């Protein structure tokens, strides 16, 4: 049981890299590590390596594996995140992911979709451009230009809950 609890803390906190990490997370992780005889760093690395292995998933499954719909600025927007130590695995299938996003948008009658590949090790997110309206929201939220290849790095962003959604909501309120 201690090993499962440790795994939950490490996954949720991205091995203490996430801005949602608390000191209590670190204290409990250390205690749980002792209880189950598992070293934190190698265990987290193994978990993240397993999570990065998405080759067996369809593009739609990749988009939907960590995805939530939000009302942002009066628009229904699905925000999908893939957390990985190897972003190239997801980004290599960019066109197939965009096709899957188009189908999901149509099926769910969404106003837009946003897709981020979070690089856990580099503490950054790569935004994959889906539409000009999504691009405008991202550009406003982080005051940056969208890359011509449709993949824009957003430094320091790893959490949808603590960073992505609050930044998008703030940008949507700006005139």
């Amino acid at each position: 049981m201690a090993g499962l609890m440790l795994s939950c803390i490490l996954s949720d906190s991205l091995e203490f890299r996430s801005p949602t990490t608390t000191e209590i997370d670190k204290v409990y992780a250390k205690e749980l590590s002792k209880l189950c005889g598992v070293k934190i760093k190698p265990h987290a690395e193994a978990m993240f390596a397993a999570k990065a292995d998405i080759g067996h998933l369809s593009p739609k499954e990749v988009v939907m594996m960590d995805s939530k719909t939000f009302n942002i600025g009066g628009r229904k927007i699905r925000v999908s995140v893939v957390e990985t130590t190897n972003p190239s695995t997801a980004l290599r299938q960019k066109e197939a992911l965009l096709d899957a996003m188009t189908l999901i948008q149509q099926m769910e009658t969404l106003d837009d979709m946003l897709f981020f590949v979070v690089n856990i090790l580099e503490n950054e997110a790569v935004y994959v451009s889906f539409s000009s309206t999504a691009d405008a929201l991202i550009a406003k939220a982080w005051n940056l230009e969208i890359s011509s290849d449709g993949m824009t790095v957003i430094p320091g962003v790893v959490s949808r809950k603590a960073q992505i959604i609050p930044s998008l909501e703030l940008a949507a309120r700006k005139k």
Side-chain angles (χ1 to χ4, degrees):
M1 185 58 97
L4 290 174
M5 293 171 68
L6 173 62
S7 297
C8 290
I9 291 170
L10 294 175
S11 178
D12 190 55
S13 70
L14 301 177
E15 191 191 3
F16 317 122
R17 291 176 177 96
S18 174
T20 62
T21 301
T22 66
E23 287 305 312
I24 288 289
D25 290 331
K26 295 175 185 178
V27 169
Y28 284 151
K30 189 174 180 181
E31 285 301 314
L32 291 165
S33 172
K34 288 178 190 173
L35 282 172
C36 68
V38 172
K39 293 184 179 176
I40 290 174
K41 185 142 189 79
H43 184 62
E45 288 171 356
M47 286 175 39
F48 296 144
K51 193 173 188 178
D53 182 13
I54 59 172
H56 63 287
L57 299 174
S58 71
K60 181 180 178 186
E61 290 170 325
V62 171
V63 171
M64 295 300 287
M65 68 189 248
D66 188 357
S67 186
K68 294 181 181 176
T69 303
F70 298 88
N71 184 323
I72 300 173
R75 302 179 68 233
K76 184 178 172 186
I77 301 175
R78 179 171 285 284
V79 180
S80 299
V81 175
V82 172
E83 296 171 343
T84 183
T85 56
N86 186 4
S88 63
T89 303
L91 297 174
R92 262 196 305 263
Q93 39 179 329
K94 176 185 158 196
E95 294 308 318
L97 293 169
L98 291 171
D99 290 344
M101 290 167 65
T102 299
L103 289 174
I104 294 164
Q105 181 190 30
Q106 292 168 353
M107 287 175 22
E108 297 184 8
T109 60
L110 299 167
D111 293 311
D112 228 327
M113 288 199 62
L114 303 176
F115 184 74
F116 298 87
V117 178
V118 173
N119 185 333
I120 298 165
L121 299 178
E122 297 298 324
N123 197 39
E124 65 187 19
V126 177
Y127 160 71
V128 178
S129 175
F130 177 69
S131 69
S132 59
T133 53
D135 291 353
L137 184 59
I138 295 297
K140 190 185 285 189
W142 284 280
N143 194 30
L144 49 77
E145 289 186 31
I146 304 304
S147 174
S148 61
D149 68 358
M151 295 188 290
T152 302
V153 174
I154 309 172
V157 172
V158 295
S159 172
R160 177 178 46 216
K161 178 181 176 182
Q163 296 172 304
I164 294 173
I165 298 305
S167 295
L168 295 173
E169 288 173 336
L170 183 62
R173 287 192 296 269
K174 290 181 186 174
K175 295 294 177 191

